[in-house]
C-alpha cells in the first residue's frame, strides 16, 4: 500500500493531516504512533474508506482506492470504540463479515469457533455485547476482523482497554496471527512497547504529519528529531541544551565536569548551542574519577530488575536506568559518567538530528 501526500481537512479552519507519505510493503506490519489528536485514527479511517480523502492518493498495489466504497476495498478494521452490533450475539458479530460475503453455514460456524478459541471468548458466543466487559468487547471486535482473511488489516488501539496480562497475551496472539497469515497491517497504538515489539516499521506522527518512518531500531537509535527522540523510549531521552565550547581545539559541551566532544562529522555545525540527547542507559555510575562528575541523587524508583534514578548535575536534571543490584539507600551524591558512543546531537533551532542535517547538505543550512 502506498500513501502519497495524503491530506485531510475536516473544515476550512484547520488541516488535520498535512501530507502523509507512507509505503507499506505487502505482508508488512506498520505501527502508527503519536500523541492524542495527531491524526492516527483519521488516517486509518481514510484508508478504510470511512472518511473522504481531501488530498493525495492511496493505492493498494496498482489500484487507486480513494473513490472505492469501504466494501470494495476488502479491508478489515478494528475500531478504537469497537463498533459492535449491539443487538447481535457475539457469534453473529464475528460471523457478520463472512455472511455478507455469502460464506457457507458450516464454514462460518467453523471459522467463528476457531477465532473465538484463539481469542478466549468461546464462552461468550451467545451473549450480546452489552453483557461483556470492555476487554471482552475488544476481543470480539478483533475476532470480527480476523474471521475473514481481508487483504489489509487496520487496528486502532485494539488493546488499550485490556489489563496488562491480557494485553501481553493478545499482543503475542496478534503477532502469531500476523506471522501465520502475513496480512499487511496498519496498527495504531499509544503504547510504544506494542509498536516496538509488533512492527516491522514504525511511523512516528506529530501534528498531522509523519516525523520519522523507520524500523524500531532506527527510530530508537537514530531519532530524526527531538520529538521522535523523546516520544520513543521510556523513560524519555534526556535532552539538554548546552553551549558549545572549545577544549584543546575540540568543540563540545560540558555536563558538570564531563566534557562531551561533538563528533568530528558534525564539526561544520555552526551555532552557539547544541542539544545533546542521552538515553537513561547512557548515564552511568562512574568506576573512577576520570571523566566523571558528581551528581546529586534526587529520586530513586525501584522497578525490580532495574532502578530509575533522577539526578541533578550542576542544575541539569538527568534520568538514569541502572541495574538494581546497586544499593543507593544511603547515597546522596555519587560520581557519574556518560557513554560517549550513545550520544545524540540535535540542532536547537530546527530540532533535527545533526546526522540528518549532514546527510542532507541542503538541510545543514537550515
Ligand atoms: N469528524 C471530525 N470533524 C472535525 N474534526 C475532527 C473530526 N474527527 C477528528 N477530528 C480532529 O482531527 C484531529 C485528529 O483526530 P484523530 O481522531 O485522528 O486523532 P488520534 O491521533 O487518533 O488521537 P487519539 O490518540 O486520541 O485517538 C483532532 O484534532 C480531532 O479533534
Ligand atoms: Mg484515535
Amino acid at each position: 500500500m502506498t500513501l502519497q501526500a495524503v491530506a485531510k481537512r475536516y473544515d476550512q479552519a484547520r488541516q488535520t493531516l498535512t501530507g502523509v507519505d507512507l509505503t507499506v510493503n505487502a505482508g508488512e506490519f506498520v505501527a502508527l504512533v503519536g500523541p492524542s489528536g495527531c491524526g492516527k485514527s483519521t488516517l486509518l479511517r481514510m484508508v478504510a474508506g470511512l472518511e473522504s480523502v481531501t488530498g493525495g492518493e492511496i493505492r493498494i498495489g496498482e489500484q487507486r482506492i480513494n473513490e472505492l466504497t469501504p466494501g470494495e476495498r476488502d479491508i478489515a478494521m478494528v475500531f478504537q470504540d469497537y463498533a459492535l452490533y449491539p443487538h447481535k450475539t457475539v457469534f453473529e458479530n464475528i460471523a457478520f463479515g463472512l455472511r455478507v460475503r455469502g460464506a457457507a453455514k458450516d464454514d462460518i460456524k467453523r471459522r467463528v469457533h476457531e477465532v473465538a478459541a484463539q481469542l478466549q471468548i468461546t464462552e461468550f458466543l451467545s451473549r450480546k455485547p452489552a453483557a461483556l466487559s470492555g476487554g471482552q468487547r475488544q476481543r470480539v471486535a478483533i475476532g470480527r476482523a480476523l474471521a475473514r482473511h481481508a487483504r489489509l488489516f487496520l487496528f486502532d488501539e485494539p488493546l488499550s482497554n485490556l489489563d496488562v496480562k491480557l494485553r501481553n497475551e493478545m499482543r503475542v496472539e496478534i503477532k502469531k496471527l500476523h506471522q501465520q497469515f502475513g496480512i499487511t497491517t496498519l496498527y495504531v497504538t499509544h503504547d510504544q512497547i506494542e509498536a516496538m515489539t509488533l512492527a516491522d516499521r514504525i511511523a512516528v506522527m506529530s501534528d498531522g504529519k509523519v516525523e520519522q518512518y523507520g524500523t524500531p531500531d532506527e527510530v530508537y537509535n537514530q531519532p530524526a528529531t527531538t520529538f521522535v527522540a523523546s516520544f520513543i523510549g521510556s523513560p524519555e531521552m534526556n535532552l539538554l541544551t548546552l553551549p558549545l565550547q572549545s577544549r584543546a581545539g575540540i568543540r563540545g559541551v560540558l555536563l558538570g565536569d564531563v566534557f562531551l566532544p561533538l563528533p568530528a562529522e558534525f564539526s561544520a555545525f555552526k551555532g552557539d548551542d547544541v542539544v545533546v540527547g542521552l538515553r537513561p542507559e547512557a548515564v552511568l555510575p562512574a568506576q573512577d574519577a576520570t571523566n566523571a562528575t558528581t551528581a546529586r541523587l534526587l529520586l530513586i524508583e525501584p522497578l525490580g530488575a532495574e532502578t530509575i534514578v533522577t539526578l541533578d548535575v550542576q542544575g541539569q536534571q538527568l534520568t538514569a536506568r541502572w541495574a538494581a543490584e546497586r544499593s543507593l539507600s544511603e547515597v546522596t551524591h555519587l560520581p557519574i559518567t556518560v557513554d560517549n558512543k550513545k550520544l545524540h546531537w540535535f540542532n536547537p533551532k530546527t530540532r533535527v538530528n545533526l546526522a540528518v542535517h549532514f546527510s542532507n547538505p541542503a538541510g545543514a543550512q537550515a
Side-chain angles (χ1 to χ4, degrees), residues 11-80:
D11 50 59
Q12 281 310 307
R14 232 171 48 83
Q15 189 144 14
T16 298
L17 291 173
T18 51
V20 170
D21 293 309
L22 214 57
T23 301
V24 182
N25 296 325
E28 201 173 15
F29 195 117
V30 168
L32 297 177
V33 299
S36 187
C38 72
K40 306 179 295 295
S41 296
T42 299
L43 189 61
L44 223 53
R45 293 174 59 82
M46 286 161 77
V47 173
L50 303 167
E51 283 298 343
S52 62
V53 179
T54 52
E57 188 171 70
I58 305 177
R59 308 176 77 89
I60 298 183
E62 291 304 301
Q63 187 184 22
R64 173 185 163 101
I65 63 165
N66 287 39
E67 287 78 24
L68 297 187
T69 63
E72 290 166 340
R73 298 187 188 201
D74 190 19
I75 288 170
M77 176 153 174
V78 178
F79 295 89
Q80 197 164 9

Side-chain angles (χ1 to χ4, degrees), residues 126-288:
S126 53
R127 286 201 209 164
K128 302 259 174 72
L132 298 175
S133 75
Q136 290 159 350
R137 274 179 227 169
Q138 209 152 27
R139 279 181 282 160
V140 176
I142 293 174
R144 190 174 52 181
L146 291 180
R148 62 193 189 83
H149 301 292
R151 64 173 164 172
L152 185 64
F153 273 155
L154 306 177
F155 289 98
D156 197 349
E157 311 243 16
L159 309 183
S160 55
N161 283 334
L162 307 184
D163 63 42
V164 174
K165 182 171 177 294
L166 203 50
R167 190 185 315 173
N168 291 343
E169 284 173 21
M170 293 294 298
R171 195 171 72 212
V172 171
E173 216 42 62
I174 288 176
K175 183 141 192 158
K176 279 201 284 197
L177 289 163
H178 183 255
Q179 281 168 352
Q180 191 179 348
F181 299 112
I183 295 172
T184 314
T185 302
L186 255 187
Y187 187 101
V188 168
T189 178
H190 271 103
D191 181 344
Q192 47 166 308
I193 298 183
E194 238 168 78
M196 297 290 277
T197 54
L198 284 173
D200 298 309
R201 283 194 283 178
I202 299 175
V204 183
M205 292 181 65
S206 150
D207 204 13
K209 61 184 191 311
V210 174
E211 286 261 332
Q212 186 172 5
Y213 185 36
T215 63
D217 179 67
E218 283 165 354
V219 295
Y220 190 82
N221 292 309
Q222 301 160 49
T225 62
T226 54
F227 175 83
V228 176
S230 55
F231 196 81
I232 300 285
S234 175
E236 270 181 35
M237 185 188 282
N238 299 288
L239 291 169
L240 310 174
T241 305
L242 296 169
L244 275 165
Q245 43 194 281
S246 278
R247 265 207 177 177
I250 299 170
R251 282 204 306 161
V253 297
L254 267 179
L255 174 62
D257 303 323
V258 181
F259 186 71
L260 308 174
L262 185 70
E265 66 262 36
F266 306 147
S267 59
F269 174 67
K270 297 182 185 27
D272 300 329
D273 295 336
V274 72
V275 176
V276 59
L278 307 87
R279 294 245 179 243
E281 56 268 31
V283 181
L284 306 166
Q287 306 301 333
D288 53 56

